[in-house]
Short mmCIF file of all heavy atoms in Angstrom, two decimals:
data_model
loop_
_atom_site.label_atom_id
_atom_site.label_comp_id
_atom_site.label_asym_id
_atom_site.label_seq_id
_atom_site.Cartn_x
_atom_site.Cartn_y
_atom_site.Cartn_z
N ARG A 92 37.16 -22.41 30.35
CA ARG A 92 36.68 -23.85 30.32
C ARG A 92 38.00 -24.53 29.83
O ARG A 92 38.14 -25.70 30.42
CB ARG A 92 35.57 -24.05 29.40
CG ARG A 92 35.13 -25.57 29.34
CD ARG A 92 33.80 -25.62 28.62
NE ARG A 92 32.80 -25.07 29.50
CZ ARG A 92 31.47 -25.17 29.30
NH1 ARG A 92 31.08 -25.88 28.18
NH2 ARG A 92 30.60 -24.64 30.20
N GLY A 93 38.82 -24.19 28.88
CA GLY A 93 40.05 -24.86 28.49
C GLY A 93 40.99 -24.89 29.78
O GLY A 93 41.64 -25.93 30.07
N LEU A 94 41.05 -23.81 30.53
CA LEU A 94 41.93 -23.83 31.77
C LEU A 94 41.46 -24.86 32.73
O LEU A 94 42.22 -25.60 33.38
CB LEU A 94 41.95 -22.40 32.39
CG LEU A 94 42.78 -22.33 33.64
CD1 LEU A 94 44.29 -22.60 33.37
CD2 LEU A 94 42.59 -20.88 34.26
N ALA A 95 40.12 -24.85 32.86
CA ALA A 95 39.58 -25.89 33.84
C ALA A 95 39.86 -27.33 33.37
O ALA A 95 40.22 -28.24 34.11
CB ALA A 95 38.09 -25.76 34.00
N ALA A 96 39.78 -27.43 32.02
CA ALA A 96 40.08 -28.91 31.54
C ALA A 96 41.50 -29.23 31.82
O ALA A 96 41.79 -30.36 32.07
CB ALA A 96 39.77 -28.84 29.98
N LEU A 97 42.45 -28.35 31.61
CA LEU A 97 43.81 -28.52 31.83
C LEU A 97 44.07 -28.92 33.35
O LEU A 97 44.89 -29.79 33.72
CB LEU A 97 44.75 -27.32 31.48
CG LEU A 97 44.76 -27.01 30.03
CD1 LEU A 97 45.49 -25.73 29.67
CD2 LEU A 97 45.62 -28.17 29.22
N VAL A 98 43.36 -28.14 34.17
CA VAL A 98 43.53 -28.43 35.66
C VAL A 98 43.04 -29.92 35.97
O VAL A 98 43.56 -30.54 36.75
CB VAL A 98 42.82 -27.39 36.47
CG1 VAL A 98 42.83 -27.86 37.95
CG2 VAL A 98 43.43 -26.12 36.32
N GLY A 99 41.91 -30.16 35.40
CA GLY A 99 41.37 -31.62 35.44
C GLY A 99 42.38 -32.59 34.90
O GLY A 99 42.51 -33.63 35.57
N LEU A 100 43.00 -32.33 33.80
CA LEU A 100 44.00 -33.25 33.40
C LEU A 100 45.15 -33.45 34.23
O LEU A 100 45.57 -34.64 34.54
CB LEU A 100 44.47 -32.75 32.04
CG LEU A 100 45.56 -33.57 31.28
CD1 LEU A 100 44.92 -34.99 30.85
CD2 LEU A 100 46.02 -32.91 29.97
N ALA A 101 45.63 -32.44 34.92
CA ALA A 101 46.63 -32.49 35.96
C ALA A 101 46.15 -33.20 37.08
O ALA A 101 46.97 -34.10 37.67
CB ALA A 101 47.12 -31.07 36.28
N ALA A 102 44.91 -33.06 37.45
CA ALA A 102 44.35 -33.88 38.66
C ALA A 102 44.37 -35.33 38.32
O ALA A 102 44.57 -36.25 39.11
CB ALA A 102 43.01 -33.25 39.07
N ALA A 103 43.88 -35.75 37.04
CA ALA A 103 43.91 -37.08 36.68
C ALA A 103 45.08 -37.78 36.71
O ALA A 103 45.26 -38.88 37.26
CB ALA A 103 43.37 -37.10 35.19
N PHE A 104 46.29 -37.16 36.27
CA PHE A 104 47.51 -37.71 36.35
C PHE A 104 48.07 -37.81 37.74
O PHE A 104 48.79 -38.73 38.06
CB PHE A 104 48.56 -36.93 35.47
CG PHE A 104 48.51 -37.26 34.00
CD1 PHE A 104 47.85 -36.49 33.10
CD2 PHE A 104 49.24 -38.45 33.55
CE1 PHE A 104 47.85 -36.88 31.75
CE2 PHE A 104 49.19 -38.79 32.29
CZ PHE A 104 48.45 -38.00 31.37
N ALA A 105 47.58 -36.83 38.75
CA ALA A 105 48.01 -37.01 40.08
C ALA A 105 47.29 -38.33 40.66
O ALA A 105 47.97 -39.00 41.51
CB ALA A 105 47.46 -35.71 40.80
N VAL A 106 46.08 -38.55 40.21
CA VAL A 106 45.35 -39.80 40.57
C VAL A 106 46.15 -41.08 40.19
O VAL A 106 46.43 -41.97 40.96
CB VAL A 106 43.90 -39.88 40.20
CG1 VAL A 106 43.29 -41.20 40.48
CG2 VAL A 106 43.12 -38.74 40.75
N PHE A 107 46.65 -41.08 38.90
CA PHE A 107 47.35 -42.14 38.40
C PHE A 107 48.65 -42.36 39.20
O PHE A 107 48.91 -43.56 39.53
CB PHE A 107 47.72 -41.89 36.86
CG PHE A 107 46.56 -41.80 36.06
CD1 PHE A 107 46.59 -40.98 34.78
CD2 PHE A 107 45.38 -42.50 36.34
CE1 PHE A 107 45.51 -40.95 33.96
CE2 PHE A 107 44.29 -42.46 35.39
CZ PHE A 107 44.39 -41.70 34.28
N VAL A 108 49.44 -41.40 39.37
CA VAL A 108 50.74 -41.47 40.00
C VAL A 108 50.53 -41.69 41.51
O VAL A 108 51.36 -42.50 42.06
CB VAL A 108 51.48 -40.08 39.76
CG1 VAL A 108 52.91 -40.22 40.56
CG2 VAL A 108 51.86 -40.05 38.23
N GLY A 109 49.64 -41.10 42.12
CA GLY A 109 49.48 -41.20 43.59
C GLY A 109 48.76 -42.44 44.03
O GLY A 109 48.95 -42.88 44.99
N PHE A 110 47.82 -42.98 43.20
CA PHE A 110 47.04 -44.10 43.61
C PHE A 110 47.13 -45.36 42.75
O PHE A 110 47.39 -46.37 43.26
CB PHE A 110 45.61 -43.58 43.75
CG PHE A 110 44.62 -44.81 43.97
CD1 PHE A 110 44.50 -45.57 44.98
CD2 PHE A 110 43.65 -45.14 42.89
CE1 PHE A 110 43.62 -46.76 45.15
CE2 PHE A 110 42.89 -46.29 42.99
CZ PHE A 110 42.89 -47.11 44.14
N THR A 111 46.81 -45.07 41.50
CA THR A 111 46.69 -46.28 40.50
C THR A 111 47.99 -47.01 40.38
O THR A 111 47.82 -48.29 40.59
CB THR A 111 46.25 -45.75 39.08
OG1 THR A 111 45.11 -44.84 39.24
CG2 THR A 111 45.87 -46.89 38.21
N PHE A 112 48.94 -46.35 40.09
CA PHE A 112 50.26 -47.17 39.84
C PHE A 112 50.77 -47.84 41.11
O PHE A 112 51.09 -49.00 41.09
CB PHE A 112 51.37 -46.18 39.33
CG PHE A 112 51.07 -45.58 38.03
CD1 PHE A 112 51.63 -44.33 37.53
CD2 PHE A 112 50.04 -46.07 37.14
CE1 PHE A 112 51.41 -43.86 36.36
CE2 PHE A 112 49.72 -45.45 36.01
CZ PHE A 112 50.51 -44.27 35.61
N PRO A 113 50.83 -47.16 42.27
CA PRO A 113 51.21 -47.91 43.53
C PRO A 113 50.21 -49.01 43.90
O PRO A 113 50.78 -50.03 44.26
CB PRO A 113 51.22 -46.75 44.58
CG PRO A 113 51.36 -45.51 43.81
CD PRO A 113 50.60 -45.68 42.57
N ALA A 114 49.01 -48.82 43.62
CA ALA A 114 48.05 -49.88 43.98
C ALA A 114 48.21 -51.19 43.21
O ALA A 114 48.19 -52.27 43.68
CB ALA A 114 46.60 -49.41 43.98
N LEU A 115 48.42 -50.96 41.87
CA LEU A 115 48.67 -52.09 40.97
C LEU A 115 49.97 -52.85 41.28
O LEU A 115 50.05 -53.96 41.34
CB LEU A 115 48.64 -51.56 39.49
CG LEU A 115 47.36 -51.15 38.96
CD1 LEU A 115 47.45 -50.66 37.52
CD2 LEU A 115 46.24 -52.23 38.84
N LEU A 116 51.01 -51.98 41.59
CA LEU A 116 52.35 -52.57 41.97
C LEU A 116 52.34 -53.37 43.23
O LEU A 116 53.03 -54.31 43.46
CB LEU A 116 53.38 -51.53 41.97
CG LEU A 116 53.82 -50.93 40.58
CD1 LEU A 116 54.62 -49.75 40.77
CD2 LEU A 116 54.43 -51.89 39.69
N ALA A 117 51.51 -52.92 44.13
CA ALA A 117 51.28 -53.59 45.49
C ALA A 117 50.43 -54.77 45.38
O ALA A 117 50.26 -55.53 46.34
CB ALA A 117 50.78 -52.60 46.50
N GLY A 118 49.82 -55.15 44.14
CA GLY A 118 49.07 -56.25 44.14
C GLY A 118 47.65 -56.27 44.49
O GLY A 118 46.92 -57.07 44.63
N GLU A 119 47.05 -54.93 44.56
CA GLU A 119 45.69 -54.76 44.89
C GLU A 119 44.74 -55.15 43.77
O GLU A 119 45.21 -55.36 42.67
CB GLU A 119 45.30 -53.16 45.18
CG GLU A 119 46.08 -52.61 46.40
CD GLU A 119 45.75 -53.17 47.73
OE1 GLU A 119 44.67 -53.85 47.75
OE2 GLU A 119 46.46 -53.09 48.66
N ASP A 120 43.52 -55.44 44.08
CA ASP A 120 42.50 -55.94 43.02
C ASP A 120 42.45 -54.99 41.94
O ASP A 120 42.16 -53.77 41.90
CB ASP A 120 41.10 -56.06 43.56
CG ASP A 120 40.22 -56.62 42.63
OD1 ASP A 120 40.28 -57.78 42.23
OD2 ASP A 120 39.25 -55.85 42.29
N ALA A 121 42.80 -55.40 40.71
CA ALA A 121 43.00 -54.64 39.56
C ALA A 121 41.65 -54.03 39.01
O ALA A 121 41.54 -52.94 38.66
CB ALA A 121 43.63 -55.41 38.43
N MET A 122 40.55 -54.86 39.16
CA MET A 122 39.26 -54.47 38.75
C MET A 122 38.78 -53.24 39.66
O MET A 122 38.32 -52.26 39.26
CB MET A 122 38.32 -55.65 38.81
CG MET A 122 36.79 -55.07 38.52
SD MET A 122 36.48 -54.67 36.89
CE MET A 122 36.10 -56.24 36.12
N GLY A 123 39.01 -53.51 40.93
CA GLY A 123 38.63 -52.38 41.82
C GLY A 123 39.40 -51.11 41.55
O GLY A 123 38.94 -50.04 41.60
N VAL A 124 40.72 -51.26 41.38
CA VAL A 124 41.54 -50.10 41.12
C VAL A 124 41.16 -49.47 39.72
O VAL A 124 41.07 -48.16 39.74
CB VAL A 124 43.02 -50.65 41.01
CG1 VAL A 124 43.92 -49.44 40.43
CG2 VAL A 124 43.66 -50.98 42.23
N ALA A 125 40.69 -50.23 38.82
CA ALA A 125 40.33 -49.63 37.59
C ALA A 125 39.01 -48.79 37.77
O ALA A 125 38.90 -47.62 37.29
CB ALA A 125 40.13 -50.69 36.43
N LEU A 126 38.06 -49.36 38.42
CA LEU A 126 36.76 -48.65 38.65
C LEU A 126 36.83 -47.49 39.56
O LEU A 126 36.32 -46.40 39.26
CB LEU A 126 35.73 -49.74 39.24
CG LEU A 126 35.30 -50.76 38.24
CD1 LEU A 126 34.40 -51.80 38.97
CD2 LEU A 126 34.66 -50.15 36.99
N VAL A 127 37.66 -47.60 40.60
CA VAL A 127 37.95 -46.47 41.44
C VAL A 127 38.63 -45.25 40.80
O VAL A 127 38.28 -44.14 40.93
CB VAL A 127 38.55 -46.98 42.75
CG1 VAL A 127 39.01 -45.73 43.64
CG2 VAL A 127 37.70 -47.87 43.64
N THR A 128 39.64 -45.70 40.09
CA THR A 128 40.46 -44.69 39.32
C THR A 128 39.56 -43.93 38.28
O THR A 128 39.62 -42.70 38.27
CB THR A 128 41.69 -45.26 38.60
OG1 THR A 128 42.51 -45.91 39.60
CG2 THR A 128 42.43 -44.29 37.78
N SER A 129 38.84 -44.70 37.55
CA SER A 129 38.07 -44.02 36.40
C SER A 129 36.93 -43.20 37.11
O SER A 129 36.59 -42.13 36.59
CB SER A 129 37.47 -45.14 35.49
OG SER A 129 36.68 -46.03 36.24
N ALA A 130 36.32 -43.66 38.11
CA ALA A 130 35.25 -42.82 38.84
C ALA A 130 35.77 -41.70 39.37
O ALA A 130 35.23 -40.46 39.29
CB ALA A 130 34.50 -43.67 39.87
N ALA A 131 36.94 -41.57 40.11
CA ALA A 131 37.48 -40.56 40.71
C ALA A 131 37.96 -39.46 39.62
O ALA A 131 37.72 -38.31 39.83
CB ALA A 131 38.75 -40.96 41.47
N VAL A 132 38.58 -39.99 38.50
CA VAL A 132 39.06 -39.05 37.43
C VAL A 132 37.77 -38.30 36.83
O VAL A 132 37.83 -37.14 36.61
CB VAL A 132 39.85 -39.79 36.44
CG1 VAL A 132 40.03 -38.95 35.20
CG2 VAL A 132 41.22 -40.20 37.11
N MET A 133 36.80 -39.08 36.51
CA MET A 133 35.64 -38.51 35.92
C MET A 133 34.92 -37.57 36.78
O MET A 133 34.50 -36.49 36.28
CB MET A 133 34.65 -39.61 35.43
CG MET A 133 35.08 -40.48 34.29
SD MET A 133 35.23 -39.47 32.84
CE MET A 133 37.00 -39.15 32.72
N LEU A 134 34.79 -37.76 38.06
CA LEU A 134 34.20 -36.94 39.00
C LEU A 134 34.89 -35.49 38.92
O LEU A 134 34.36 -34.40 38.93
CB LEU A 134 34.22 -37.44 40.34
CG LEU A 134 33.05 -38.51 40.68
CD1 LEU A 134 33.38 -39.16 42.05
CD2 LEU A 134 31.74 -37.81 40.83
#
């Protein structure tokens, strides 16, 4: 279960780097980015 949690943590940072940061820098709607990021990470 700890290994799975570490894999999930790596996946979360992949979402941040691959989607969240570029979307915010590109001027996309910040509220939408926040909700989509948090939902994707939690799933």
Side-chain angles (χ1 to χ4, degrees):
R92 180 162 293 187
L94 177 62
L97 292 173
V98 173
L100 181 63
F104 276 98
V106 173
F107 295 151
V108 175
F110 166 70
T111 310
F112 300 162
L115 291 174
L116 291 172
E119 299 291 347
D120 180 68
M122 173 71 86
V124 172
L126 292 176
V127 170
T128 298
S129 55
V132 169
M133 287 297 99
L134 282 167

